[in-house]
């Protein structure tokens, strides 16, 4: 007997489909609702200066006092630090607040500490080289600014003026008074552009050099100034489109490098000692020494051999001061004619053995030129025997590497007319032309196409930064440090702004790209960020750290890297971090205890990119005056 149904089968099917449709519509509606709420909460890209300053803790209505200090209004820093990227901070943990260090550390340079240096050998100036503190000696406090610290003058005014309260040292204004280095005018220093060997001023001195070598046609772009003083030579070369790496030791002439950086001129603490300079081979178009007191002829010419390593093929070495033109000046130098003649003869002999050509000696200047290749040099070495060509497999290696008494080999060429390593374009085409190290395949994994893609990428990113940090184009930010520069794309993208960039390639990086950066006409150095940087406190306006903490998170405590960044960053300076969101949240949890105001933002390509941007500003605060400063 057939089974009876209480209703129509068609009716039951319609009822089932209706319930299913209702369920689908309900779930879809909830999804749309949550998506809209999430989008509403999401962080948008700031489009104005006031927007970003509100986000990173600067009061757009802050007034500047008569002393030049920007007042910070705590009530204006109403920031939303809630995570919008699915990574939550443990709310049960409190942020560690770092105390200020004692005012005696106001000019602390950890790896060039004078007290620690006294423990080392004075031979070859080893006691003035880098000697970093042990882990037990590292400070867990914030380096204080001087009590009356002021925001530095904007570029280009900063070339000629600096606030006395920022670098309260009169020594150079007294010791070098007759040489027109620097003088005190009320509450500020004035840099007169003079020097020991250029009493008519750096401009006239550079013009004299320009009559001897092609200084202004774009052939010479990168220079190194050894024993730079307050870097007036570098400061006045800038208007000739020559970018100079100036260095000097931390010595009895207090704060030479600090003065240079306060002026907005590239410089770092360094010395010709027992180790290589932290620059790659074939880096500089010009090397300069103006009475820099380096004994070039000593140690079998070891220091000139190092200059040869870092000079590009065809590069120039310019020397002024003793012993040049000693027959005229020997009485004023308080040295005997025999002593000066012997020194010059020794320098000439070293230059000849390096295969350098003496270009000219005129008035106070003497100029040599490095050969464009080693074809003839190798032939001459078979006769002269010394110094021999180094057997080093990587002449670019320069981080804690001892000097060698041998000639750094140049890349092989097919003809005596070829430039070893490849010819480079003149400035400014050089900045975006494919560097010879890349076109020759010397950098594994980096092709010409990848180089061009990197340039386009950084143009896009810097355009985004400009919307985030408007002082980038105003002269308010002048000194920039790129802690992980790679190919120098960031520095090249900001060339149109009144800034300069110290490009750092981590010493333990997978790819040694610093030579590429120099071939682009940019400057930089090697650095292990588990150690302190060779600079004074408060010497950079903006720090860029792209992917840095992904490199160092398993190598050393990133807390100390962040404290080092705080040391070298000026009050009210900014930092741009780029990294994964989990690392940025960790970074932010530390910087919140360093008196920084920060905000995590989306990647410029949108919220779905796993890389995020953290923008931070160091708030203005100073140390308390000691009884001597009151």
């Amino acid at each position: 007997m057939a089974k009876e149904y209480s209703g129509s089968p068609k009716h039951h099917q319609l009822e089932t489909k209706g319930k299913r449709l209702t369920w689908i519509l309900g779930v879809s509606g909830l999804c749309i609702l949550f998506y809209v709420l999430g989008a509403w909460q999401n962080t948008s890209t700031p489009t104005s200066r006031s927007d970003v300053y509100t986000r990173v803790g600067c009061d757009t209505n802050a007034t500047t006092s008569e002393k030049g200090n920007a007042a910070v209004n705590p009530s204006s820093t109403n920031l939303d630090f809630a995570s919008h990227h699915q990574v939550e901070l443990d709310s049960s943990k409190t942020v560690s607040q770092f105390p200020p260090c004692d005012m005696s550390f106001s000019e602390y340079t950890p790896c060039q500490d004078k007290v620690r240096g006294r423990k080392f050998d004075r031979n070859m100036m080893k006691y003035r080289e880098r000697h970093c503190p042990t882990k037990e000696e590292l400070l867990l406090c914030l380096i204080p600014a001087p009590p009356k610290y002021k925001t530095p003058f904007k570029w280009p005014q900063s070339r000629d003026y600096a606030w006395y309260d920022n670098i309260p040292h009169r020594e150079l204004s007294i010791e070098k008074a007759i040489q027109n280095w620097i003088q005190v005018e009320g509450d500020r220093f004035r840099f007169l552009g003079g020097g020991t060997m250029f009493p008519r001023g750096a401009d006239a001195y550079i013009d004299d050099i320009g009559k001897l070598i092609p200084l202004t046609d774009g052939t010479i772009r990168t220079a190194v100034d050894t024993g730079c003083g307050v870097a007036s030579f570098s400061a006045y070369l800038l208007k000739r489109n020559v970018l100079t790496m100036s260095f000097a030791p931390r010595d009895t002439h207090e704060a030479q490098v600090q003065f240079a950086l306060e002026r907005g001129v590239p410089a770092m603490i360094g010395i010709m000692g027992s180790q290589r300079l932290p620059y790659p081979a074939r880096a500089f178009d010009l090397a300069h020494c103006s009475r820099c007191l380096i004994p070039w002829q000593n140690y079998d010419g070891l220091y000139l051999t190092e200059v040869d390593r870092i000079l590009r093929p065809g590069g120039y070495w310019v020397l002024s001061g003793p012993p040049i033109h000693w027959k005229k000046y020997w009485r004023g130098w308080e040295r005997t004619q025999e002593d000066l003649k012997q020194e010059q003869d020794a320098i000439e002999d070293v230059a000849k053995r390096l295969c350098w050509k003496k270009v000219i000696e005129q008035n106070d200047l003497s100029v040599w030129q490095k050969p464009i290749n080693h074809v003839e040099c190798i032939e001459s070495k078979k006769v002269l025997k010394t110094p021999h060509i180094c057997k080093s497999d990587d002449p670019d290696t320069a981080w804690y590497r001892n000097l060698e008494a041998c000639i750094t080999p140049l890349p092989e060429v097919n003809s005596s007319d070829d430039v070893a390593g490849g010819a480079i374009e003149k400035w400014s085409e050089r900045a975006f032309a494919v560097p010879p190290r890349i076109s020759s395949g010397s950098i594994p994994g980096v092709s010409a196409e990848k180089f061009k893609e990197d340039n386009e990428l950084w143009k896009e990113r810097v355009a985004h930064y400009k919307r985030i940090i408007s002082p980038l184009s105003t002269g308010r930010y002048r000194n920039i440090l790129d802690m992980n520069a790679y190919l120098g794309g960031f520095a090249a993208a900001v060339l149109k702004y009144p800034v300069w960039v110290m490009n750092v390639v981590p010493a333990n990086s997978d790819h040694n790209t610093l030579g590429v950066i120099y071939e682009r006409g940019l400057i930089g150095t090697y650095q292990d960020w588990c150690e302190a940087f060779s600079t004074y406190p408060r010497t950079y306006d903006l720090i860029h750290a792209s992917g840095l903490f992904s490199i160092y998170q398993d190598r050393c405590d990133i807390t100390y890297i962040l404290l080092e960044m705080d040391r070298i960053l000026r009050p009210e300076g900014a930092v741009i971090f780029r990294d994964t969101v989990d690392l940025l949240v960790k970074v932010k949890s530390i910087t919140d205890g360093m008196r920084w105001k920060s905000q995590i933002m989306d990647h410029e390509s949108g919220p779905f990119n796993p890389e995020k941007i953290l923008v931070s500003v160091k708030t203005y605060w100073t140390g308390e005056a000691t009884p001597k400063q009151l």
Side-chain angles (χ1 to χ4, degrees):
M1 184 174 181
K3 186 174 180 180
E4 294 183 356
Y5 289 93
S6 59
S8 168
K10 188 174 182 179
H11 173 75
H12 282 289
Q13 291 172 5
L14 290 172
E15 184 178 1
T16 302
K17 288 183 179 179
K19 290 181 179 178
R20 187 180 303 161
L21 182 60
T22 302
W23 184 81
I24 291 172
L25 290 173
V27 172
S28 300
L30 287 173
C31 290
I32 293 171
L33 177 62
F34 287 129
Y35 179 83
V36 172
L37 288 173
W40 176 73
Q41 288 183 343
N42 208 359
T43 305
S44 62
T45 301
T47 58
S48 67
R49 177 174 178 175
S50 60
D51 189 7
V52 67
Y53 277 19
T54 300
R55 291 178 185 224
V56 297
C58 291
D59 183 5
T60 57
N61 296 318
T63 58
T64 302
S65 68
E66 292 181 0
K67 295 179 181 179
N69 298 335
V72 177
N73 184 357
S75 65
S76 69
T77 58
N78 184 21
L79 306 182
D80 176 14
F81 289 134
S83 172
H84 301 300
H85 303 287
Q86 293 74 52
V87 178
E88 297 287 344
L89 283 172
D90 186 348
S91 60
S92 65
K93 294 182 180 179
T94 57
V95 175
S96 298
Q97 299 295 322
F98 295 95
C101 303
D102 187 83
M103 273 303 297
S104 61
F105 288 96
S106 180
E107 295 182 356
Y108 183 48
T109 55
C111 296
Q112 282 87 13
D113 182 64
K114 291 186 287 187
V115 176
R116 183 182 298 106
R118 296 191 190 109
K119 302 175 183 177
F120 294 87
D121 191 355
R122 300 183 71 86
N123 181 47
M124 295 187 73
M125 309 296 282
K126 291 179 182 178
Y127 74 108
R128 284 184 178 169
E129 294 181 324
R130 284 177 59 88
H131 302 292
C132 298
T134 63
K135 186 176 181 180
E136 292 71 28
E137 296 175 294
L138 295 175
L139 301 178
L140 276 171
C141 54
L142 306 176
I143 302 298
K148 299 179 182 179
Y149 181 87
K150 302 176 180 67
T151 300
F153 290 91
K154 289 183 179 181
W155 182 264
Q157 290 83 6
S158 64
R159 188 194 70 175
D160 301 322
Y161 294 98
W163 296 114
Y164 174 82
D165 288 326
N166 290 7
I167 315 175
H169 292 287
R170 295 179 180 268
E171 293 90 340
L172 284 174
S173 65
I174 298 171
E175 185 174 344
K176 303 292 184 180
I178 63 172
Q179 297 174 11
N180 292 325
W181 280 31
I182 184 175
Q183 69 182 27
V184 180
E185 294 183 351
D187 59 354
R188 66 193 67 185
F189 288 109
R190 183 183 174 198
F191 300 95
L192 304 172
T196 306
M197 291 308 302
F198 32 96
R200 294 181 294 124
D203 246 349
Y205 175 79
I206 293 170
D207 285 341
D208 290 341
I209 295 175
K211 295 173 184 176
L212 308 178
I213 59 177
L215 195 60
T216 58
D217 67 351
T219 301
I220 295 174
R221 165 62 180 175
T222 56
V224 60
D225 189 16
T226 54
C228 65
V230 295
S232 287
F233 178 72
S234 171
Y236 284 87
L237 272 177
L238 284 169
K239 68 180 184 180
R240 295 163 172 86
N241 284 323
V242 177
L243 190 60
T244 307
M245 175 69 78
S246 299
F247 70 84
R250 178 164 186 169
D251 62 358
T252 53
H253 294 166
E254 285 288 351
Q256 293 180 88
V257 167
Q258 192 176 15
F259 275 121
L261 286 159
E262 192 74 9
R263 299 176 71 179
V265 177
M268 59 187 295
I269 301 173
I271 191 168
M272 297 287 287
S274 66
Q275 297 175 341
R276 285 181 173 180
L277 297 170
Y279 317 122
R282 313 193 313 275
F284 299 99
D285 307 311
L286 170 69
H288 173 258
C289 164
S290 173
R291 200 168 188 175
C292 57
L293 305 180
I294 295 174
W296 298 110
Q297 74 284 2
N298 288 1
Y299 312 110
D300 199 26
L302 200 59
Y303 295 144
L304 269 185
T305 303
E306 173 63 357
V307 171
D308 179 79
R309 183 185 72 86
I310 62 175
L311 262 185
R312 280 194 55 76
Y316 298 92
W317 184 55
V318 177
L319 175 65
S320 65
I324 302 304
H325 216 70
W326 57 268
K327 291 180 180 179
K328 178 179 179 181
Y329 297 113
W330 69 274
R331 290 184 179 86
W333 289 338
E334 298 179 354
R335 291 172 59 184
T336 65
Q337 297 183 66
E338 293 75 15
D339 180 35
L340 289 163
K341 181 180 184 304
Q342 184 180 19
E343 181 180 343
Q344 177 148 1
D345 289 346
I347 290 174
E348 300 277 8
D349 178 63
V350 174
K352 183 178 179 181
R353 289 188 286 123
L354 290 171
C355 304
W356 290 4
K357 174 187 175 183
K358 181 73 170 288
V359 176
I360 194 170
E361 182 171 322
Q362 182 173 302
N363 298 325
D364 300 336
L365 297 165
S366 192
V367 181
W368 286 263
Q369 186 176 21
K370 178 178 176 176
I372 61 173
N373 57 57
H374 275 164
V375 173
E376 295 182 7
C377 189
I378 291 174
E379 291 299 319
S380 67
K381 292 302 128 187
K382 294 178 181 178
V383 178
L384 298 175
K385 304 297 183 183
T386 179
H388 63 277
I389 304 293
C390 299
K391 302 300 181 183
S392 171
D393 56 348
D394 186 4
D396 287 348
T397 304
W399 186 248
Y400 291 123
R401 175 72 175 268
N402 289 334
L403 294 175
E404 296 180 74
C406 53
I407 299 176
T408 301
L410 290 173
E412 295 183 0
V413 295
N414 297 320
S415 166
S416 59
D417 296 326
D418 293 341
V419 177
I424 56 175
E425 300 286 344
K426 290 186 176 182
W427 186 258
S428 60
E429 290 79 6
R430 180 174 170 179
F432 293 99
V434 178
R437 277 175 165 89
I438 292 178
S439 59
S440 66
S442 301
I443 309 297
V446 182
S447 63
E449 291 73 20
K450 190 169 184 178
F451 171 75
K452 293 174 183 177
E453 290 172 2
D454 188 72
N455 285 334
E456 294 303 315
L457 177 68
W458 282 107
K459 286 179 182 177
E460 177 185 344
R461 289 179 172 179
V462 167
H464 184 62
Y465 292 164
K466 173 65 168 57
R467 293 190 290 269
I468 295 175
I469 302 179
S470 58
L472 192 62
S473 60
T474 65
R476 168 65 179 82
Y477 289 167
R478 170 66 179 170
N479 303 349
I480 299 180
L481 177 68
D482 192 352
M483 298 178 72
N484 186 23
Y486 187 42
L487 301 177
F490 168 71
V494 298
L495 282 170
K496 59 185 176 182
Y497 301 130
V499 301
W500 64 270
V501 180
M502 180 71 77
N503 294 280
V504 175
V505 171
N508 40 19
S509 178
D510 292 336
H511 297 301
N512 185 350
T513 54
L514 192 55
V516 168
I517 289 169
Y518 274 95
E519 286 181 341
R520 301 187 69 172
L522 309 171
I523 60 172
T525 183
Y526 295 112
Q527 171 68 25
D528 182 351
W529 287 112
C530 291
E531 300 179 0
F533 194 61
S534 292
T535 192
Y536 283 82
R538 303 173 299 281
T539 47
Y540 285 90
D541 306 296
L542 175 64
I543 298 177
H544 185 250
S546 176
L548 183 78
F549 293 97
S550 292
I551 297 175
Y552 280 95
Q553 62 175 331
D554 298 323
R555 294 182 178 175
C556 51
D557 189 341
I558 67 170
T559 299
Y560 291 108
I561 299 178
L562 290 166
L563 287 170
E564 173 65 1
M565 294 169 72
D566 181 82
R567 182 184 75 88
I568 62 183
L569 185 66
R570 297 193 196 279
E572 298 183 317
V575 182
I576 301 175
F577 301 90
R578 301 181 71 96
D579 229 307
T580 58
V581 67
D582 54 333
L583 270 174
L584 293 186
V585 169
K586 183 178 181 181
V587 167
K588 185 179 180 304
S589 71
I590 299 171
T591 60
D592 282 349
M594 291 165 47
R595 308 193 192 193
W596 290 15
K597 296 297 182 182
S598 307
Q599 177 69 59
I600 295 178
M601 300 177 180
D602 283 323
H603 191 274
E604 60 271 358
S605 65
F608 300 108
N609 194 308
E611 182 181 72
K612 303 298 175 186
I613 300 172
L614 173 65
V615 180
S616 303
V617 166
K618 178 179 176 179
T619 58
Y620 177 88
W621 65 276
T622 68
E624 295 182 4
T626 62
K628 291 183 180 180
Q629 294 171 316
L630 293 175

